[in-house]
Amino acid sequence: MAASNQNILFSTLLLLFLIAPASFAQQSFRPKALVAPVSKDAATLQYVTRINQRTPLVPLSLVLDLGGQFLWVDCDQNYSSSTYRPARCNSAQCSLARAGGCGDCFSAPRPGCNNNTCGVTPGNTVTSTATGGEVAEDVLSVDSTDGSNPGRVVTVTRFLFSCAPTFLLEGLASGVSGMAGLGRTRIAFPSQFASAFSFHRKFAICLSSSTTSNGVVFFGDGPYVLLPNIDASQSLTYTPLFINPVSTASAYTQGEPSAEYFIGVKSIKVDDKVVTINTTLLSIDSEGFGGTKISTVNPYTVLETSIYTALTEAFIAEAAARNITRAASVAPFGVCFSSENVLSTRLGASVPTIYLVLQNENVYWSIFGANSMVQVSEDVLCLGVVNGGEKPRTSIVLGGYQLENNLLQFDLATSRLGFSSLLFGRRTTCANFNFTSNT
Ligand SMILES: *[C@@H]1O[C@H](CO)[C@@H](O)[C@H](O)[C@H]1NC(C)=O
Ligand SMILES: *[C@@H]1O[C@H](CO)[C@@H](O)[C@H](O)[C@H]1NC(C)=O
Ligand SMILES: *[C@@H]1O[C@H](CO)[C@@H](O)[C@H](O)[C@H]1NC(C)=O
Ligand SMILES: *[C@@H]1O[C@H](CO)[C@@H](O)[C@H](O)[C@H]1NC(C)=O
Ligand SMILES: *[C@@H]1O[C@H](CO)[C@@H](O)[C@H](O)[C@H]1NC(C)=O
C-alpha cells in the first residue's frame, strides 16, 4: 500500500514535470541580459526604442531618455489592457516611485484616471514640459540576450510606470507613445530590470548614426557583441559618474538629486592644444549648476557660451593649419567649413580631434571627425556643437551626435561609465548588433 502510494506520488510528480515544463521554464528562466533596438528618427533626430507592454501585448515606440526618471506613456489614447493596475496611495509602489500625494479622478475610471492613487510628474525632456500622472503597473516584455542575438522573450508582470496625457507627446517623434527613462532612479528601466531578473545594475547604449539601421540598448552586463563578432564590452575605458545633488529638471522634481549621468571633464584639448576655459564651469556647484552630462535628447552637444567660443576658436585655428577654410554657417551650427581640403578617413572627416580630458591626463574621450563634423551639404561640413548661452544649468551637454557609434556602459552600483571610443576604429558600428533571434 505504502509502495503504491509512493508510486502514485511519483507518477503525479512525473506527470507534473512532464506537463509543466513550458510554463515552469518560462517562470524560472533567468536572463543574463536584455536587448532592445534603438532607431534614429530622421525628422527629430530622437532615438526611439521599442518595447511591448500590456495584455494583450502592444508594441510601443518610446523616445529613449538616458537621464529620464521612469517610463511614461500616453494612457489617454488607446490604452487597453486587462493587467493595468493603478498604484494605491501609500503602497510600496508609491514609495518606490517616490510618489507623493493621494489623488482622485473625477470622471469614469480608466488607465490614468483612478481614485486613491499616487502621482508623479512625467516630463517631456525634449520640450521641457511636465505634468501630473498616475503611477501604475502593467506587464512589460522585452527580448533576453546572450550578448550576440535576441533570445527568448521575458516578461516583467508588474512594471512600474507613469501615465501621461496625450499632449505630453508634443514635440516627440511621430508614432511614439511616451519616453523610456534610463536614469538613476529605482523605477527607471535599469533598476526595475535589474531587480526583476537579479542582474547587475548595468546597461549600455550604442546609438546608430543611420536613420535606417538600428542601434541597440542592453540591460545587464556584457558581452555586447557586434558583427563581425566584436565584444565591445572588452575595450572600455572607465571614468567615474557623478550625481548632481539638484535635479536639473528642478521645476518638476524639487529637492531630488538628478537622475541624469554626469562625468568629470577636467579640461578640453584640440589636437595637442589645451583650450583655455573657466574650470569653475566644469564642476557642479551646490545649486546644481555646471558640470558635464550625457544626454540622448539633445541631438548635438550644447556648450556654455564661453566654452563654446574657446573651443570653436581653437578648432578653427587647428583646422586652418590644415588648410581647412571656413564656410558660411548653417543653423543650428555656428562654425562650418568647406570640405575642399578635408580628407575622409576610417574615423570620419580628417579634422582636428577634440579630447575631453577626464580624471587624469591619461584618460580622455576622443571626438574624431565622425562624431564632430556634420555634413550639411555636398561641400560644407559643420562642427556639430551648439551655443547654449550664458549661465545654462549644465555647462557641457554631450549630445546624441557625439555618442553615436560609441558604446557607453553605465554601472549604477559602482557609479562608473565605460566608453569604447569610436567603434569604427575596431571596424564595427552600433548598427551591427545581430537582431536575428537565435531561439
Ligand atoms: C489604437 O490601437 C489600434 C489597434 O492596436 C491601432 O490600429 C490604432 O492605430 C491605434 N490608434 C492610435 C491613435 O494609437
Ligand atoms: C472617485 O470617487 C468619486 C466620489 O466617490 C466618484 O464620483 C468618482 O466617479 C470616482 N472616480 C473614479 C475614477 O473612480
Ligand atoms: C568662472 O565661472 C564662474 C561660474 O559661472 C563665475 O562665477 C566666475 O566669475 C568665472 N570666472 C571668470 C574668470 O570668468
Ligand atoms: C596649405 O596650403 C599652402 C599654400 O597652398 C601650402 O604651402 C601648404 O603646404 C598647405 N599645408 C597643408 C598642411 O596642406
Ligand atoms: C545572425 O544570427 C543568426 C542567428 O544566430 C545567424 O544565423 C546569422 O548567421 C547571423 N548573421 C551574421 C551576419 O552573422
Side-chain angles (χ1 to χ4, degrees):
M1 192 65 194
S4 99
N5 268 346
Q6 248 171 14
N7 265 339
I8 290 166
L9 184 64
F10 181 74
S11 323
T12 311
L13 283 175
L14 189 68
L15 197 64
L16 275 175
F17 193 72
L18 287 175
I19 292 171
S23 62
F24 179 74
Q26 197 95 40
Q27 294 305 309
S28 71
F29 171 71
R30 218 173 73 190
K32 281 175 53 207
L34 310 175
V35 70
V38 180
S39 59
K40 182 178 182 180
D41 179 64
T44 59
L45 307 180
Q46 290 160 14
Y47 301 93
V48 176
T49 190
R50 282 187 301 284
I51 275 170
N52 297 308
Q53 193 202 30
R54 310 171 197 180
T55 304
L57 287 170
V58 175
L60 299 182
S61 292
L62 303 162
V63 172
L64 192 74
D65 183 5
L66 179 66
Q69 306 176 80
F70 41 72
L71 165 67
W72 64 259
V73 303
D74 169 16
C75 292
D76 285 354
Q77 247 189 122
N78 238 0
Y79 197 116
S80 144
S81 173
S82 61
T83 43
Y84 180 92
R85 302 177 186 218
R88 295 302 172 198
C89 297
N90 306 314
S91 61
Q93 286 79 359
C94 295
S95 75
L96 207 59
R98 306 179 78 91
C102 191
D104 283 339
C105 187
F106 296 100
S107 71
R110 56 179 165 79
C113 175
N114 289 282
N115 279 345
N116 188 33
T117 57
C118 58
V120 285
T121 317
N124 175 331
T125 48
V126 171
T127 57
S128 302
T129 313
T131 186
E134 172 172 292
V135 175
E137 294 175 321
D138 208 336
V139 167
L140 191 119
S141 94
V142 64
D143 288 327
S144 64
T145 185
D146 58 1
S148 300
N149 295 84
R152 161 185 339 210
V153 173
V154 292
T155 294
V156 181
T157 49
R158 301 175 67 168
F159 192 92
L160 273 166
F161 69 105
S162 167
C163 276
T166 304
F167 78 79
L168 204 60
L169 297 175
E170 276 166 31
L172 301 186
S174 113
V176 309
S177 40
M179 297 185 85
L182 306 187
R184 50 197 319 154
T185 68
R186 291 163 73 191
I187 64 162
F189 278 85
S191 294
Q192 280 201 74
F193 282 149
S195 64
F197 300 113
S198 314
F199 53 58
H200 290 295
R201 286 197 300 148
K202 289 183 183 178
F203 69 98
I205 58 170
C206 202
L207 304 176
S208 170
S209 53
S210 160
T211 53
T212 54
S213 33
N214 286 328
V216 56
V217 55
F218 298 98
F219 296 97
D221 209 348
Y224 308 131
V225 181
L226 302 169
L227 293 170
N229 200 25
I230 291 160
D231 178 5
S233 71
Q234 290 303 305
S235 55
L236 302 177
T237 301
Y238 294 97
T239 194
L241 286 167
F242 291 90
I243 296 176
N244 187 327
V246 187
S247 174
T248 55
S250 62
Y252 46 91
T253 46
Q254 267 167 353
E256 293 280 310
S258 172
E260 298 167 307
Y261 299 96
F262 284 75
I263 56 170
V265 172
K266 285 211 179 136
S267 66
I268 302 177
K269 287 183 179 174
V270 175
D271 288 341
D272 55 355
K273 311 264 191 338
V274 175
V275 179
T276 307
I277 51 181
N278 177 349
T279 52
T280 307
L281 295 167
L282 297 179
S283 44
I284 302 168
D285 74 13
S286 56
E287 266 101 59
F289 280 79
T292 301
K293 78 173 180 191
I294 303 175
S295 162
T296 57
V297 294
N298 290 84
Y300 303 103
T301 289
V302 185
L303 301 171
E304 180 274 338
T305 292
S306 69
I307 300 176
Y308 175 84
T309 304
L311 176 70
T312 54
E313 281 175 0
F315 194 89
I316 291 163
E318 287 296 297
R322 302 178 184 216
N323 283 347
I324 300 171
T325 54
R326 293 281 300 271
S329 56
V330 177
F333 310 113
V335 175
C336 299
F337 301 92
S338 158
S339 58
E340 200 179 354
N341 288 329
V342 182
L343 300 175
S344 272
T345 71
R346 190 144 60 90
L347 302 180
S350 176
V351 293
T353 304
I354 299 169
Y355 298 99
L356 304 177
V357 182
L358 300 165
Q359 63 269 36
N360 65 56
E361 283 289 317
N362 302 321
V363 182
Y364 45 84
W365 177 318
S366 309
I367 302 176
F368 300 109
N371 290 117
S372 62
M373 305 312 289
V374 181
Q375 182 108 39
V376 296
S377 66
E378 202 181 318
D379 43 17
V380 177
L381 293 168
C382 297
L383 180 61
V385 300
V386 299
N387 188 337
E390 284 168 31
K391 302 205 188 307
R393 260 200 98 75
T394 302
S395 305
I396 301 177
V397 180
L398 284 174
Y401 198 81
Q402 279 66 44
L403 311 179
E404 288 171 358
N405 294 307
N406 288 251
L407 182 121
L408 303 180
Q409 185 195 50
F410 297 82
D411 183 338
L412 281 80
T414 61
S415 257
R416 165 176 105 142
L417 170 73
F419 57 101
S420 68
S421 191
L422 185 59
L423 292 168
F424 298 173
R426 304 193 61 208
R427 299 186 188 273
T428 189
T429 76
C430 286
N432 276 356
F433 183 73
N434 184 347
F435 276 104
T436 306
S437 174
N438 59 5
T439 51

